[in-house]
Amino acid sequence: MHKTVGVSTDAMLEDLRTLVEVESPSRDAEALTASAKTVAAVIESRLGGQALLIDSEAGPHVHWSAGGDPKVLILGHHDTVFPLGTLERRPFKVEDGRATGPGVFDMLGGLVQAVHGLAALDDRSGVEILVTADEEVGSRTSRALIEERALACGAVLVFEGAADGGGLKTGRKGCGTFQVSIAGRASHAGLEPAAGVNALIEAAHQVLDIAALGRPEAGTTVTPTVASAGTLDNVVPAEATVIVDVRVESGAEKERIESAFAALAPHLDGARIAVEGSIGRPPMPESASAELFAVARKLQPGLEGKAVGGASDGNFTAALGVPTLDGLGAVGGGAHADHEYLVVEAMAERAHLVAELVSAITGTGSPAPR
């Protein structure tokens, strides 16, 4: 395996295997408790001190502080989208320069690189790490804690996987999910179809209205993704549901879309519509990352930045006005998919970037030479 002075790729792969082999599906509090304890143990073994487990309904969040005046927050999550049993089908392995297994890219590899990068600093004063348990399902229980620590630290480095080609993520769209519930009236489809109010037909009208809200030229996508209706093939459907994924680049578009969903009106007499949801993660404008990205470019000339459609907990911190840089995690791809992978050769380089960035931000410590 590859090794650079101060950072061992072998040691990083050892810790990555440890984390991957403790499965951590979102919403499984028991599994996430085991995962949080493992994350805490890895942090403590590499950095010393004590990593605290902060209980929540979703599962424990992990918080570690080096002490001193807080200056930078290392932000990540340990929950994954993969159900229990995925590891048996797709075990952790390293082959042909790639590490594979559930969560290696999103985002256990990034956590490992962050910890080992910090371990290369001789003084970690001012550094905090927060690893949450519910990022993949909206960060409902962790958002307040994320925002509190971000404001306290004043700078945030997010260790989600890198953009294509290893670039950093300098902007993210805001995102949210809406559920449109339609109530009609059941009747016999053969004997008296006109006596019913067909919720499925109403849903079809609504899907077309909703899809028309998108403005690709403004970066706004509105995508109906899941629909259900009806009970039996000879009954006019009395209920239907449509779920919609929304992504926006600006606060103005967020307001427009939320207002448009609130104003949805039925096409059929007697149909009723109820809308739930919002754009829960605000957009992360590229201006939020400009300061920290400039520092990263000085440390690694040629490093690229990219605005992406996916969202992360960095959206929350950027919305507070806290300088936020994302995509500092693993170089690889296939997030949320069976072909998820991490490029082993890039691990040491990313760990060194962590050390150099943190040193530049805090003004303390010096990273080990490459």
Side-chain angles (χ1 to χ4, degrees):
M1 295 294 176
H2 307 279
K3 184 176 181 180
T4 61
V5 176
V7 176
S8 165
T9 299
D10 284 344
M12 283 192 283
L13 287 172
E14 176 186 329
D15 285 348
L16 181 57
R17 176 187 292 275
T18 297
L19 295 183
V20 170
E21 292 185 345
V22 180
E23 292 183 285
S24 54
S26 302
R27 296 193 173 98
D28 187 326
E30 183 177 351
L32 288 165
T33 297
S35 173
K37 290 178 179 177
T38 305
V39 170
V42 168
I43 292 173
E44 291 173 354
S45 70
R46 300 299 179 183
L47 301 178
Q50 183 179 9
L52 301 177
L53 268 58
I54 302 172
D55 288 333
S56 80
E57 293 177 9
H61 313 306
V62 183
H63 182 243
W64 176 89
S65 173
D69 183 28
K71 294 180 179 178
V72 59
L73 178 65
I74 304 297
L75 184 58
H77 63 90
H78 65 100
D79 64 319
T80 68
V81 300
F82 302 103
L84 290 178
T86 303
L87 185 67
E88 183 177 358
R89 177 173 56 85
R90 194 158 56 86
F92 177 82
K93 64 180 179 179
V94 180
E95 191 173 85
D96 298 327
R98 293 184 172 190
T100 56
V104 290
F105 179 69
D106 187 12
M107 62 166 290
L108 302 176
L111 295 181
V112 168
Q113 291 168 186
V115 170
H116 283 255
L118 292 175
L121 292 172
D122 55 18
D123 183 351
R124 296 180 281 274
S125 298
V127 179
E128 293 190 16
I129 300 174
L130 178 59
V131 186
T132 65
D134 62 352
E135 191 275 344
E136 296 289 6
V137 289
S139 306
R140 184 179 60 83
T141 72
S142 59
R143 179 174 181 175
L145 179 61
I146 291 165
E147 293 176 339
E148 174 195 314
R149 297 324 306 158
L151 288 168
C153 291
V156 178
L157 303 178
V158 185
F159 283 81
E160 295 283 358
D164 291 345
L168 302 185
K169 294 175 179 176
T170 52
R172 285 186 177 273
K173 290 186 180 183
C175 70
T177 302
F178 291 83
Q179 177 172 303
V180 180
S181 300
I182 298 153
R185 183 169 61 247
S187 67
H188 195 292
L191 296 177
E192 48 180 1
V197 177
N198 195 315
L200 178 54
I201 292 177
E202 181 62 53
H205 285 292
Q206 294 301 322
V207 165
L208 294 176
D209 290 349
I210 290 165
L213 296 174
R215 286 184 181 171
E217 71 280 4
T220 300
T221 60
V222 181
T223 310
T225 54
V226 180
S228 61
T231 53
L232 295 171
D233 59 3
N234 61 353
V235 178
V236 171
E239 295 180 346
T241 302
V242 178
I243 297 176
V244 187
D245 178 277
V246 176
R247 312 275 164 154
V248 298
E249 286 185 358
S250 70
E253 281 294 276
K254 175 182 184 295
E255 292 180 11
R256 181 182 73 84
I257 291 294
E258 289 180 339
S259 296
F261 270 92
L264 288 175
H267 289 250
L268 304 182
D269 290 342
R272 300 187 308 278
I273 294 175
V275 177
E276 297 177 78
S278 66
I279 298 173
R281 291 184 192 269
M284 173 182 164
E286 291 193 79
S287 58
S289 66
E291 178 184 345
L292 293 175
F293 183 59
V295 175
R297 284 288 296 268
K298 287 181 181 179
L299 296 170
Q300 283 194 15
L303 193 63
E304 294 186 353
K306 184 176 181 181
V308 298
S312 80
D313 286 335
N315 290 58
F316 296 136
T317 64
L320 297 172
V322 178
T324 300
L325 186 59
D326 205 337
L328 286 157
V331 176
H336 297 191
D338 280 355
H339 66 277
E340 181 182 23
Y341 70 94
L342 170 155
V343 178
V344 172
E345 188 177 22
M347 293 182 77
E349 186 75 13
R350 300 299 272 205
H352 277 296
L353 179 59
V354 178
E356 292 167 344
L357 263 175
V358 168
S359 180
I361 294 168
T362 63
T364 61
S366 54
R370 296 176 182 237

